[in-house]
Amino acid sequence: MKKIITLLVLTLLYNCNTSAQKKETSEKDVFKVNKTEAEWKQELTPEQFYVLRQSGTERPFSSDLNKEYNEGVFHCAACNTPLFKSEHKFDSGTGWPSFDREIKGNVAFSTDNNLGYLRVEEHCATCGGHLGHVFNDGPKNTTGKRHCINGVALTFVPKIN
């Protein structure tokens, strides 16, 4: 019995340390847009650089995009890749722009354990810019997901009629 329990524990420990939880490739290997730190600093505001390139978080309720509900698309502030559609935006009450889904293929996912627990981190799939995190406490009548995104990482492009 002890051998079976030991085997089960070892199997669980091995499976909890999968490659899906590791960042084994560098940004230069993965993303289409690659720039030096100096180039990013020149192109982005200090707050954008902090969030997009250093995985920072803006203060809640500080972004005008939190209350942006016009029809259009939210793009990456670093490389202009379309990331989220306005029709999927909702007021989560958290102080950050929130969406129930991303534009498939334009957002990349990884895990982070910076706060002592595992979270799913979101990046622009084109430039690797940090966007925010996705949680499972979104609207139950749609996807159940809450993509909690830093407004400074986005630009809004209104729909032209």
Side-chain angles (χ1 to χ4, degrees):
M1 186 67 169
K2 285 184 181 181
K3 288 181 182 180
I4 293 173
I5 292 173
T6 302
L7 183 61
L8 285 173
V9 168
L10 289 174
T11 302
L12 284 172
L13 288 174
Y14 176 77
N15 286 334
C16 288
N17 195 21
T18 66
S19 61
Q21 295 178 359
K22 298 177 185 174
K23 294 180 186 176
E24 294 187 11
T25 56
S26 70
E27 287 184 14
K28 292 187 187 305
D29 294 330
V30 177
F31 303 109
K32 296 174 192 167
V33 173
N34 290 296
K35 297 182 182 184
T36 66
E37 186 172 312
E39 289 172 320
W40 284 121
K41 280 185 176 181
Q42 190 173 22
E43 293 181 21
L44 302 171
T45 68
E47 189 174 21
Q48 287 173 325
F49 182 81
Y50 169 68
V51 169
L52 286 159
R53 308 316 309 170
Q54 298 179 317
S55 299
T57 302
E58 69 187 0
R59 289 180 299 110
F61 303 101
S62 64
S63 173
D64 292 339
L65 295 182
N66 191 39
K67 297 295 183 184
E68 177 61 68
Y69 288 102
N70 289 310
E71 197 173 349
V73 178
F74 294 84
H75 289 228
C76 174
C79 71
N80 204 33
T81 297
L83 303 171
F84 303 96
K85 295 179 181 179
S86 61
E87 64 206 58
H88 301 134
K89 189 170 187 296
F90 66 96
D91 185 358
S92 65
T94 61
W96 290 280
S98 297
F99 305 86
D100 70 354
R101 69 196 79 176
E102 78 283 2
I103 295 176
K104 296 288 184 208
N106 292 357
V107 175
F109 301 90
S110 64
T111 56
D112 103 44
N113 194 20
N114 295 340
L115 297 179
Y117 60 93
L118 211 55
R119 298 184 298 171
V120 177
E121 187 174 359
E122 297 185 74
H123 306 271
C124 173
T126 302
C127 71
H130 169 77
L131 303 172
H133 295 86
V134 62
F135 302 98
N136 291 320
D137 59 1
K140 299 294 181 213
N141 61 333
T142 61
T143 64
K145 301 289 184 190
R146 174 175 55 96
H147 297 259
C148 187
I149 307 300
N150 290 283
V152 72
L154 303 173
T155 57
F156 179 69
V157 178
K159 181 179 178 182
I160 300 172
N161 293 328

